């Protein structure tokens, strides 16, 4: 079987991380998460200029330059075996990132490249941010939707807080940025026939099932 390359794109809190994880477990895909790779990178040497700049941008919801994103993605991808599938979480965002990704997978002559657009309304993105709480000790996130009234982390009893990038002004900027920068990327990928629109509102299992149906159809299309 050919390797599966999947990617998720969507507004803040659209469920990219959750769906990427489900897919990576089902098909044994290597997860490439730009966000956590960036955070890991800054932890290696937290006090140097690059780490501080990157952390500041992440906390403020500012997109990091595409060249840095490419470095992280492709150094990881090129370190893998050719039959190891991957799932990119939370990327591509900028048009140039979508173009680079599409170019690489077309060059690889792999017809099992999928970009899933988890579509949620702006208000849903805001609502999910409002409900999210974060443990600064173990980095676990909670949602008041699933854990009503939670005030302390279930694992280490640390008080849970609203993370900087969930603050309303940051979310509003990210939504604006999405509409300006990411929509053209989505349109480009759609024109190349690799984009699949998925309704991101609803039960997690149902969304996962809709994604899997598309993958199965492609795998069996021979
Ligand atoms: Zn915790």
């Amino acid at each position: 079987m050919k390797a599966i390359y999947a990617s998720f794109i969507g507004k803040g809190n659209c469920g990219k991380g959750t769906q990427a994880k489900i897919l990576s477990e089902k098909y044994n895909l290597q997860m490439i998460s730009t966000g956590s790779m960036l955070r890991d990178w800054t932890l290696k040497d937290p006090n140097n200029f690059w780490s501080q700049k990157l952390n500041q941008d992440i906390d403020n919801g500012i997109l990091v330059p595409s060249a840095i994103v490419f470095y992280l993605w492709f150094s990881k991808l090129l370190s893998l075996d050719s039959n190891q599938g991957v799932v990119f979480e939370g990327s591509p965002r900028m048009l140039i990132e979508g173009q680079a990704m599409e170019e690489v997978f077309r060059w690889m002559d792999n017809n099992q490249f999928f970009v899933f657009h988890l579509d949620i309304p702006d208000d849903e993105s805001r609502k999910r941010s409002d409900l999210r709480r974060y443990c600064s000790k173990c980095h676990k996130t909670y949602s008041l939707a699933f854990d009503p009234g939670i005030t302390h982390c279930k694992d280490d009893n640390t008080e849970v807080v609203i993370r900087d990038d969930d603050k309303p002004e940051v979310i509003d900027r990210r939504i604006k940025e999405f509409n300006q920068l990411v929509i053209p990327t989505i349109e480009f990928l759609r024109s190349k026939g690799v984009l699949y629109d998925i309704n991101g509102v609803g039960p997690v299992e149902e969304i996962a099932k809709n994604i899997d149906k598309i993958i199965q159809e492609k795998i069996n299309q021979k």
Side-chain angles (χ1 to χ4, degrees):
M1 195 176 104
K2 269 192 179 173
I4 292 169
Y5 299 106
S7 172
F8 288 89
I9 196 165
K11 287 183 198 111
N13 308 315
C14 69
K16 295 183 284 264
T18 306
Q19 293 300 333
K21 191 159 174 277
I22 292 173
L23 201 65
S24 76
E25 281 164 7
K26 165 139 198 195
Y27 291 99
N28 190 25
L29 307 175
Q30 169 79 47
M31 184 98 110
I32 299 186
S33 163
T34 320
S36 49
M37 283 169 99
L38 281 170
R39 287 195 189 270
D40 286 349
W41 176 263
T42 62
L43 289 174
K44 279 192 241 168
D45 187 359
N47 295 318
N48 81 14
F49 165 80
W50 302 103
S51 301
Q52 287 184 350
K53 170 78 178 135
L54 287 170
N55 270 329
Q56 212 173 41
D57 283 3
I58 296 167
D59 287 344
N60 290 314
I62 294 169
L63 295 178
V64 305
S66 298
I68 293 174
V69 174
F70 293 155
Y71 169 74
L72 294 172
W73 285 355
F74 297 121
S75 57
K76 182 80 200 172
L77 186 68
L78 268 64
S79 74
L80 299 173
D81 206 58
S82 67
N83 56 19
Q84 172 65 59
V86 299
V87 54
F88 292 90
E89 184 221 331
S91 39
R93 295 205 276 193
M94 313 281 260
L95 178 59
I96 190 176
E97 295 168 6
Q99 288 168 331
M101 201 181 253
E102 195 274 332
E103 185 189 18
V104 168
F105 290 111
R106 187 160 29 83
W107 167 74
M108 286 169 77
D109 200 19
N110 181 301
N111 65 350
Q112 289 181 180
F113 169 50
F114 308 87
V115 182
F116 296 107
H117 170 214
L118 293 182
D119 199 8
I120 59 168
D122 292 356
D123 278 346
E124 183 71 18
S125 177
R126 285 192 194 96
K127 194 178 91 189
R128 291 183 188 182
S129 264
D130 265 0
L131 293 172
R132 194 151 68 169
R133 294 295 180 273
Y134 170 72
C135 170
S136 61
K137 192 171 177 195
C138 70
H139 305 294
K140 198 169 168 172
T141 56
Y142 295 92
S143 170
L144 294 177
F146 304 115
D147 292 298
I150 192 161
T151 53
H152 290 79
C153 177
K154 288 179 185 173
D155 292 341
D156 49 44
N157 210 32
T158 305
E159 194 180 353
V160 293
V161 294
I162 299 171
R163 205 163 73 178
D164 280 348
D165 60 2
D166 280 326
K167 297 203 163 133
E169 60 274 22
V170 176
I171 281 297
D172 279 342
R173 190 171 58 230
R174 282 171 67 193
I175 289 172
K176 212 171 120 196
E177 210 165 50
F178 182 89
N179 290 326
Q180 281 173 356
L181 299 174
V182 188
I183 294 289
T185 313
I186 289 175
E187 283 166 359
F188 166 79
L189 292 164
R190 188 179 286 127
S191 77
K192 294 289 176 183
V194 295
L195 187 104
Y196 301 87
D197 290 292
I198 303 284
N199 180 4
V201 183
V204 168
E205 310 77 51
E206 198 183 299
I207 297 168
K209 216 186 274 174
N210 291 336
I211 292 167
D212 197 35
K213 211 159 80 187
I214 291 166
I215 293 182
Q216 283 299 324
E217 270 169 22
K218 193 92 187 197
I219 290 175
N220 296 324
Q221 189 193 83
K222 275 159 202 152

PDB file of all heavy atoms in Angstrom, residues 118-148:
ATOM      1  N   LEU A 118     -11.351  21.424   7.859  1.00  0.00           N
ATOM      2  CA  LEU A 118     -12.371  21.299   8.907  1.00  0.00           C
ATOM      3  C   LEU A 118     -13.060  22.649   9.046  1.00  0.00           C
ATOM      4  O   LEU A 118     -12.517  23.583   9.638  1.00  0.00           O
ATOM      5  CB  LEU A 118     -11.741  20.881  10.239  1.00  0.00           C
ATOM      6  CG  LEU A 118     -11.141  19.479  10.294  1.00  0.00           C
ATOM      7  CD1 LEU A 118     -10.610  19.197  11.698  1.00  0.00           C
ATOM      8  CD2 LEU A 118     -12.173  18.418   9.922  1.00  0.00           C
ATOM      9  N   ASP A 119     -14.234  22.722   8.488  1.00  0.00           N
ATOM     10  CA  ASP A 119     -14.931  23.993   8.364  1.00  0.00           C
ATOM     11  C   ASP A 119     -15.808  24.264   9.584  1.00  0.00           C
ATOM     12  O   ASP A 119     -16.681  23.464   9.917  1.00  0.00           O
ATOM     13  CB  ASP A 119     -15.801  23.907   7.091  1.00  0.00           C
ATOM     14  CG  ASP A 119     -16.211  25.279   6.601  1.00  0.00           C
ATOM     15  OD1 ASP A 119     -15.708  26.283   7.146  1.00  0.00           O
ATOM     16  OD2 ASP A 119     -17.047  25.344   5.677  1.00  0.00           O
ATOM     17  N   ILE A 120     -15.529  25.377  10.274  1.00  0.00           N
ATOM     18  CA  ILE A 120     -16.407  25.812  11.372  1.00  0.00           C
ATOM     19  C   ILE A 120     -16.679  27.313  11.215  1.00  0.00           C
ATOM     20  O   ILE A 120     -15.835  28.049  10.706  1.00  0.00           O
ATOM     21  CB  ILE A 120     -15.806  25.544  12.783  1.00  0.00           C
ATOM     22  CG1 ILE A 120     -14.451  26.268  12.980  1.00  0.00           C
ATOM     23  CG2 ILE A 120     -15.648  24.051  13.070  1.00  0.00           C
ATOM     24  CD1 ILE A 120     -13.979  26.279  14.431  1.00  0.00           C
ATOM     25  N   PRO A 121     -17.870  27.774  11.647  1.00  0.00           N
ATOM     26  CA  PRO A 121     -18.156  29.216  11.568  1.00  0.00           C
ATOM     27  C   PRO A 121     -17.251  30.006  12.520  1.00  0.00           C
ATOM     28  O   PRO A 121     -16.763  29.454  13.513  1.00  0.00           O
ATOM     29  CB  PRO A 121     -19.617  29.325  12.017  1.00  0.00           C
ATOM     30  CG  PRO A 121     -20.176  27.942  11.970  1.00  0.00           C
ATOM     31  CD  PRO A 121     -19.006  27.012  12.160  1.00  0.00           C
ATOM     32  N   ASP A 122     -17.045  31.295  12.229  1.00  0.00           N
ATOM     33  CA  ASP A 122     -16.222  32.167  13.087  1.00  0.00           C
ATOM     34  C   ASP A 122     -16.680  32.108  14.549  1.00  0.00           C
ATOM     35  O   ASP A 122     -15.858  32.033  15.463  1.00  0.00           O
ATOM     36  CB  ASP A 122     -16.316  33.631  12.615  1.00  0.00           C
ATOM     37  CG  ASP A 122     -15.654  33.828  11.257  1.00  0.00           C
ATOM     38  OD1 ASP A 122     -15.069  32.859  10.722  1.00  0.00           O
ATOM     39  OD2 ASP A 122     -15.728  34.960  10.729  1.00  0.00           O
ATOM     40  N   ASP A 123     -17.993  32.151  14.752  1.00  0.00           N
ATOM     41  CA  ASP A 123     -18.512  32.163  16.127  1.00  0.00           C
ATOM     42  C   ASP A 123     -18.212  30.880  16.885  1.00  0.00           C
ATOM     43  O   ASP A 123     -18.033  30.893  18.098  1.00  0.00           O
ATOM     44  CB  ASP A 123     -20.032  32.395  16.126  1.00  0.00           C
ATOM     45  CG  ASP A 123     -20.338  33.878  16.002  1.00  0.00           C
ATOM     46  OD1 ASP A 123     -19.404  34.686  16.191  1.00  0.00           O
ATOM     47  OD2 ASP A 123     -21.497  34.226  15.720  1.00  0.00           O
ATOM     48  N   GLU A 124     -18.148  29.772  16.159  1.00  0.00           N
ATOM     49  CA  GLU A 124     -17.818  28.492  16.787  1.00  0.00           C
ATOM     50  C   GLU A 124     -16.357  28.527  17.252  1.00  0.00           C
ATOM     51  O   GLU A 124     -16.023  28.042  18.338  1.00  0.00           O
ATOM     52  CB  GLU A 124     -18.059  27.353  15.787  1.00  0.00           C
ATOM     53  CG  GLU A 124     -17.816  25.949  16.334  1.00  0.00           C
ATOM     54  CD  GLU A 124     -18.852  25.481  17.341  1.00  0.00           C
ATOM     55  OE1 GLU A 124     -19.957  26.066  17.393  1.00  0.00           O
ATOM     56  OE2 GLU A 124     -18.545  24.521  18.086  1.00  0.00           O
ATOM     57  N   SER A 125     -15.484  29.108  16.442  1.00  0.00           N
ATOM     58  CA  SER A 125     -14.071  29.238  16.806  1.00  0.00           C
ATOM     59  C   SER A 125     -13.928  30.078  18.083  1.00  0.00           C
ATOM     60  O   SER A 125     -13.207  29.715  19.010  1.00  0.00           O
ATOM     61  CB  SER A 125     -13.317  29.895  15.643  1.00  0.00           C
ATOM     62  OG  SER A 125     -11.972  30.101  15.976  1.00  0.00           O
ATOM     63  N   ARG A 126     -14.672  31.187  18.145  1.00  0.00           N
ATOM     64  CA  ARG A 126     -14.646  32.058  19.338  1.00  0.00           C
ATOM     65  C   ARG A 126     -15.192  31.321  20.561  1.00  0.00           C
ATOM     66  O   ARG A 126     -14.619  31.378  21.644  1.00  0.00           O
ATOM     67  CB  ARG A 126     -15.504  33.303  19.102  1.00  0.00           C
ATOM     68  CG  ARG A 126     -14.868  34.305  18.188  1.00  0.00           C
ATOM     69  CD  ARG A 126     -15.616  35.641  18.217  1.00  0.00           C
ATOM     70  NE  ARG A 126     -15.169  36.443  17.101  1.00  0.00           N
ATOM     71  CZ  ARG A 126     -15.803  36.512  15.935  1.00  0.00           C
ATOM     72  NH1 ARG A 126     -16.942  35.864  15.747  1.00  0.00           N
ATOM     73  NH2 ARG A 126     -15.312  37.236  14.956  1.00  0.00           N
ATOM     74  N   LYS A 127     -16.296  30.619  20.356  1.00  0.00           N
ATOM     75  CA  LYS A 127     -16.958  29.931  21.477  1.00  0.00           C
ATOM     76  C   LYS A 127     -16.023  28.873  22.080  1.00  0.00           C
ATOM     77  O   LYS A 127     -15.862  28.781  23.288  1.00  0.00           O
ATOM     78  CB  LYS A 127     -18.252  29.278  20.970  1.00  0.00           C
ATOM     79  CG  LYS A 127     -19.182  28.835  22.083  1.00  0.00           C
ATOM     80  CD  LYS A 127     -20.480  28.234  21.533  1.00  0.00           C
ATOM     81  CE  LYS A 127     -20.321  26.743  21.356  1.00  0.00           C
ATOM     82  NZ  LYS A 127     -21.468  26.133  20.619  1.00  0.00           N
ATOM     83  N   ARG A 128     -15.360  28.097  21.190  1.00  0.00           N
ATOM     84  CA  ARG A 128     -14.481  27.025  21.686  1.00  0.00           C
ATOM     85  C   ARG A 128     -13.280  27.595  22.445  1.00  0.00           C
ATOM     86  O   ARG A 128     -12.814  27.008  23.418  1.00  0.00           O
ATOM     87  CB  ARG A 128     -14.021  26.153  20.518  1.00  0.00           C
ATOM     88  CG  ARG A 128     -15.159  25.322  19.923  1.00  0.00           C
ATOM     89  CD  ARG A 128     -14.684  24.407  18.818  1.00  0.00           C
ATOM     90  NE  ARG A 128     -15.802  23.757  18.136  1.00  0.00           N
ATOM     91  CZ  ARG A 128     -15.672  22.866  17.155  1.00  0.00           C
ATOM     92  NH1 ARG A 128     -14.464  22.517  16.739  1.00  0.00           N
ATOM     93  NH2 ARG A 128     -16.721  22.329  16.584  1.00  0.00           N
ATOM     94  N   SER A 129     -12.783  28.778  22.004  1.00  0.00           N
ATOM     95  CA  SER A 129     -11.683  29.424  22.716  1.00  0.00           C
ATOM     96  C   SER A 129     -12.111  29.870  24.104  1.00  0.00           C
ATOM     97  O   SER A 129     -11.378  29.718  25.078  1.00  0.00           O
ATOM     98  CB  SER A 129     -11.214  30.660  21.944  1.00  0.00           C
ATOM     99  OG  SER A 129     -10.131  30.327  21.153  1.00  0.00           O
ATOM    100  N   ASP A 130     -13.302  30.459  24.163  1.00  0.00           N
ATOM    101  CA  ASP A 130     -13.869  30.922  25.431  1.00  0.00           C
ATOM    102  C   ASP A 130     -13.930  29.801  26.447  1.00  0.00           C
ATOM    103  O   ASP A 130     -13.762  30.012  27.648  1.00  0.00           O
ATOM    104  CB  ASP A 130     -15.320  31.379  25.199  1.00  0.00           C
ATOM    105  CG  ASP A 130     -15.405  32.866  24.956  1.00  0.00           C
ATOM    106  OD1 ASP A 130     -14.350  33.520  24.973  1.00  0.00           O
ATOM    107  OD2 ASP A 130     -16.527  33.354  24.738  1.00  0.00           O
ATOM    108  N   LEU A 131     -14.203  28.595  25.951  1.00  0.00           N
ATOM    109  CA  LEU A 131     -14.428  27.457  26.844  1.00  0.00           C
ATOM    110  C   LEU A 131     -13.135  26.730  27.210  1.00  0.00           C
ATOM    111  O   LEU A 131     -13.130  25.883  28.078  1.00  0.00           O
ATOM    112  CB  LEU A 131     -15.389  26.461  26.176  1.00  0.00           C
ATOM    113  CG  LEU A 131     -16.830  26.937  25.963  1.00  0.00           C
ATOM    114  CD1 LEU A 131     -17.608  25.941  25.123  1.00  0.00           C
ATOM    115  CD2 LEU A 131     -17.538  27.139  27.309  1.00  0.00           C
ATOM    116  N   ARG A 132     -12.031  27.061  26.535  1.00  0.00           N
ATOM    117  CA  ARG A 132     -10.817  26.281  26.732  1.00  0.00           C
ATOM    118  C   ARG A 132     -10.023  26.752  27.955  1.00  0.00           C
ATOM    119  O   ARG A 132      -9.867  27.933  28.200  1.00  0.00           O
ATOM    120  CB  ARG A 132      -9.926  26.346  25.494  1.00  0.00           C
ATOM    121  CG  ARG A 132      -8.843  25.288  25.538  1.00  0.00           C
ATOM    122  CD  ARG A 132      -8.442  24.858  24.192  1.00  0.00           C
ATOM    123  NE  ARG A 132      -7.761  25.938  23.495  1.00  0.00           N
ATOM    124  CZ  ARG A 132      -7.111  25.752  22.351  1.00  0.00           C
ATOM    125  NH1 ARG A 132      -7.059  24.559  21.814  1.00  0.00           N
ATOM    126  NH2 ARG A 132      -6.517  26.757  21.764  1.00  0.00           N
ATOM    127  N   ARG A 133      -9.518  25.786  28.706  1.00  0.00           N
ATOM    128  CA  ARG A 133      -8.660  26.076  29.858  1.00  0.00           C
ATOM    129  C   ARG A 133      -7.382  25.256  29.704  1.00  0.00           C
ATOM    130  O   ARG A 133      -7.387  24.175  29.131  1.00  0.00           O
ATOM    131  CB  ARG A 133      -9.363  25.716  31.180  1.00  0.00           C
ATOM    132  CG  ARG A 133     -10.579  26.570  31.481  1.00  0.00           C
ATOM    133  CD  ARG A 133     -10.229  28.043  31.713  1.00  0.00           C
ATOM    134  NE  ARG A 133     -11.400  28.856  31.991  1.00  0.00           N
ATOM    135  CZ  ARG A 133     -12.163  29.434  31.068  1.00  0.00           C
ATOM    136  NH1 ARG A 133     -11.886  29.270  29.779  1.00  0.00           N
ATOM    137  NH2 ARG A 133     -13.199  30.159  31.401  1.00  0.00           N
ATOM    138  N   TYR A 134      -6.306  25.782  30.277  1.00  0.00           N
ATOM    139  CA  TYR A 134      -4.980  25.241  30.006  1.00  0.00           C
ATOM    140  C   TYR A 134      -4.205  25.046  31.304  1.00  0.00           C
ATOM    141  O   TYR A 134      -4.241  25.906  32.185  1.00  0.00           O
ATOM    142  CB  TYR A 134      -4.273  26.240  29.086  1.00  0.00           C
ATOM    143  CG  TYR A 134      -2.816  26.014  28.859  1.00  0.00           C
ATOM    144  CD1 TYR A 134      -2.374  24.950  28.075  1.00  0.00           C
ATOM    145  CD2 TYR A 134      -1.859  26.879  29.407  1.00  0.00           C
ATOM    146  CE1 TYR A 134      -1.029  24.751  27.838  1.00  0.00           C
ATOM    147  CE2 TYR A 134      -0.509  26.688  29.174  1.00  0.00           C
ATOM    148  CZ  TYR A 134      -0.095  25.634  28.392  1.00  0.00           C
ATOM    149  OH  TYR A 134       1.237  25.434  28.156  1.00  0.00           O
ATOM    150  N   CYS A 135      -3.521  23.898  31.424  1.00  0.00           N
ATOM    151  CA  CYS A 135      -2.665  23.661  32.592  1.00  0.00           C
ATOM    152  C   CYS A 135      -1.236  24.004  32.195  1.00  0.00           C
ATOM    153  O   CYS A 135      -0.673  23.370  31.305  1.00  0.00           O
ATOM    154  CB  CYS A 135      -2.752  22.204  33.034  1.00  0.00           C
ATOM    155  SG  CYS A 135      -1.493  21.787  34.273  1.00  0.00           S
ATOM    156  N   SER A 136      -0.655  24.985  32.886  1.00  0.00           N
ATOM    157  CA  SER A 136       0.687  25.447  32.493  1.00  0.00           C
ATOM    158  C   SER A 136       1.761  24.444  32.924  1.00  0.00           C
ATOM    159  O   SER A 136       2.877  24.479  32.452  1.00  0.00           O
ATOM    160  CB  SER A 136       0.980  26.823  33.095  1.00  0.00           C
ATOM    161  OG  SER A 136       0.931  26.727  34.501  1.00  0.00           O
ATOM    162  N   LYS A 137       1.373  23.523  33.826  1.00  0.00           N
ATOM    163  CA  LYS A 137       2.371  22.554  34.296  1.00  0.00           C
ATOM    164  C   LYS A 137       2.542  21.387  33.308  1.00  0.00           C
ATOM    165  O   LYS A 137       3.647  21.089  32.890  1.00  0.00           O
ATOM    166  CB  LYS A 137       1.980  22.024  35.678  1.00  0.00           C
ATOM    167  CG  LYS A 137       3.101  21.259  36.342  1.00  0.00           C
ATOM    168  CD  LYS A 137       2.785  20.936  37.790  1.00  0.00           C
ATOM    169  CE  LYS A 137       3.921  20.097  38.387  1.00  0.00           C
ATOM    170  NZ  LYS A 137       3.471  19.491  39.656  1.00  0.00           N
ATOM    171  N   CYS A 138       1.426  20.743  32.915  1.00  0.00           N
ATOM    172  CA  CYS A 138       1.542  19.565  32.046  1.00  0.00           C
ATOM    173  C   CYS A 138       1.075  19.853  30.615  1.00  0.00           C
ATOM    174  O   CYS A 138       1.075  18.964  29.765  1.00  0.00           O
ATOM    175  CB  CYS A 138       0.795  18.381  32.630  1.00  0.00           C
ATOM    176  SG  CYS A 138      -0.998  18.573  32.597  1.00  0.00           S
ATOM    177  N   HIS A 139       0.656  21.092  30.348  1.00  0.00           N
ATOM    178  CA  HIS A 139       0.225  21.547  29.004  1.00  0.00           C
ATOM    179  C   HIS A 139      -1.057  20.881  28.521  1.00  0.00           C
ATOM    180  O   HIS A 139      -1.368  20.943  27.331  1.00  0.00           O
ATOM    181  CB  HIS A 139       1.343  21.353  27.960  1.00  0.00           C
ATOM    182  CG  HIS A 139       2.617  22.011  28.347  1.00  0.00           C
ATOM    183  ND1 HIS A 139       2.738  23.381  28.445  1.00  0.00           N
ATOM    184  CD2 HIS A 139       3.820  21.498  28.706  1.00  0.00           C
ATOM    185  CE1 HIS A 139       3.968  23.679  28.842  1.00  0.00           C
ATOM    186  NE2 HIS A 139       4.642  22.555  29.009  1.00  0.00           N
ATOM    187  N   LYS A 140      -1.786  20.249  29.403  1.00  0.00           N
ATOM    188  CA  LYS A 140      -3.043  19.641  29.010  1.00  0.00           C
ATOM    189  C   LYS A 140      -4.106  20.733  28.835  1.00  0.00           C
ATOM    190  O   LYS A 140      -4.111  21.719  29.573  1.00  0.00           O
ATOM    191  CB  LYS A 140      -3.464  18.660  30.118  1.00  0.00           C
ATOM    192  CG  LYS A 140      -4.496  17.659  29.677  1.00  0.00           C
ATOM    193  CD  LYS A 140      -4.646  16.566  30.728  1.00  0.00           C
ATOM    194  CE  LYS A 140      -5.888  15.755  30.401  1.00  0.00           C
ATOM    195  NZ  LYS A 140      -6.021  14.578  31.229  1.00  0.00           N
ATOM    196  N   THR A 141      -4.987  20.534  27.844  1.00  0.00           N
ATOM    197  CA  THR A 141      -6.074  21.502  27.708  1.00  0.00           C
ATOM    198  C   THR A 141      -7.408  20.835  28.018  1.00  0.00           C
ATOM    199  O   THR A 141      -7.594  19.643  27.804  1.00  0.00           O
ATOM    200  CB  THR A 141      -6.138  22.129  26.298  1.00  0.00           C
ATOM    201  OG1 THR A 141      -6.261  21.089  25.342  1.00  0.00           O
ATOM    202  CG2 THR A 141      -4.919  22.968  25.994  1.00  0.00           C
ATOM    203  N   TYR A 142      -8.302  21.644  28.552  1.00  0.00           N
ATOM    204  CA  TYR A 142      -9.649  21.186  28.883  1.00  0.00           C
ATOM    205  C   TYR A 142     -10.653  22.091  28.198  1.00  0.00           C
ATOM    206  O   TYR A 142     -10.335  23.213  27.834  1.00  0.00           O
ATOM    207  CB  TYR A 142      -9.877  21.266  30.403  1.00  0.00           C
ATOM    208  CG  TYR A 142      -9.000  20.337  31.208  1.00  0.00           C
ATOM    209  CD1 TYR A 142      -7.771  20.770  31.694  1.00  0.00           C
ATOM    210  CD2 TYR A 142      -9.409  19.039  31.478  1.00  0.00           C
ATOM    211  CE1 TYR A 142      -6.956  19.913  32.423  1.00  0.00           C
ATOM    212  CE2 TYR A 142      -8.606  18.178  32.218  1.00  0.00           C
ATOM    213  CZ  TYR A 142      -7.381  18.626  32.688  1.00  0.00           C
ATOM    214  OH  TYR A 142      -6.584  17.779  33.408  1.00  0.00           O
ATOM    215  N   SER A 143     -11.864  21.586  28.056  1.00  0.00           N
ATOM    216  CA  SER A 143     -12.935  22.446  27.565  1.00  0.00           C
ATOM    217  C   SER A 143     -14.058  22.413  28.580  1.00  0.00           C
ATOM    218  O   SER A 143     -14.467  21.349  29.051  1.00  0.00           O
ATOM    219  CB  SER A 143     -13.457  21.959  26.221  1.00  0.00           C
ATOM    220  OG  SER A 143     -14.632  22.691  25.901  1.00  0.00           O
ATOM    221  N   LEU A 144     -14.565  23.609  28.901  1.00  0.00           N
ATOM    222  CA  LEU A 144     -15.688  23.674  29.837  1.00  0.00           C
ATOM    223  C   LEU A 144     -16.916  22.963  29.258  1.00  0.00           C
ATOM    224  O   LEU A 144     -17.835  22.603  29.992  1.00  0.00           O
ATOM    225  CB  LEU A 144     -16.029  25.134  30.160  1.00  0.00           C
ATOM    226  CG  LEU A 144     -14.965  25.920  30.937  1.00  0.00           C
ATOM    227  CD1 LEU A 144     -15.402  27.364  31.134  1.00  0.00           C
ATOM    228  CD2 LEU A 144     -14.662  25.286  32.291  1.00  0.00           C
ATOM    229  N   ALA A 145     -16.907  22.754  27.940  1.00  0.00           N
ATOM    230  CA  ALA A 145     -18.022  22.033  27.317  1.00  0.00           C
ATOM    231  C   ALA A 145     -18.056  20.573  27.778  1.00  0.00           C
ATOM    232  O   ALA A 145     -19.118  19.984  27.908  1.00  0.00           O
ATOM    233  CB  ALA A 145     -17.904  22.096  25.802  1.00  0.00           C
ATOM    234  N   PHE A 146     -16.862  20.008  27.983  1.00  0.00           N
ATOM    235  CA  PHE A 146     -16.798  18.596  28.406  1.00  0.00           C
ATOM    236  C   PHE A 146     -16.544  18.448  29.908  1.00  0.00           C
ATOM    237  O   PHE A 146     -16.863  17.427  30.498  1.00  0.00           O
ATOM    238  CB  PHE A 146     -15.707  17.858  27.622  1.00  0.00           C
ATOM    239  CG  PHE A 146     -15.908  17.963  26.132  1.00  0.00           C
ATOM    240  CD1 PHE A 146     -14.991  18.643  25.333  1.00  0.00           C
ATOM    241  CD2 PHE A 146     -17.039  17.405  25.525  1.00  0.00           C
ATOM    242  CE1 PHE A 146     -15.191  18.757  23.953  1.00  0.00           C
ATOM    243  CE2 PHE A 146     -17.243  17.512  24.163  1.00  0.00           C
ATOM    244  CZ  PHE A 146     -16.325  18.190  23.377  1.00  0.00           C
ATOM    245  N   ASP A 147     -15.896  19.462  30.507  1.00  0.00           N
ATOM    246  CA  ASP A 147     -15.634  19.452  31.951  1.00  0.00           C
ATOM    247  C   ASP A 147     -16.189  20.737  32.566  1.00  0.00           C
ATOM    248  O   ASP A 147     -15.420  21.653  32.899  1.00  0.00           O
ATOM    249  CB  ASP A 147     -14.122  19.357  32.223  1.00  0.00           C
ATOM    250  CG  ASP A 147     -13.553  18.020  31.820  1.00  0.00           C
ATOM    251  OD1 ASP A 147     -13.967  17.000  32.388  1.00  0.00           O
ATOM    252  OD2 ASP A 147     -12.688  17.995  30.913  1.00  0.00           O
ATOM    253  N   PRO A 148     -17.511  20.824  32.697  1.00  0.00           N
ATOM    254  CA  PRO A 148     -18.120  22.079  33.179  1.00  0.00           C
ATOM    255  C   PRO A 148     -17.549  22.483  34.536  1.00  0.00           C
ATOM    256  O   PRO A 148     -17.420  21.635  35.424  1.00  0.00           O
ATOM    257  CB  PRO A 148     -19.607  21.744  33.291  1.00  0.00           C
ATOM    258  CG  PRO A 148     -19.811  20.480  32.536  1.00  0.00           C
ATOM    259  CD  PRO A 148     -18.494  19.753  32.519  1.00  0.00           C
TER     260      PRO A 148
END
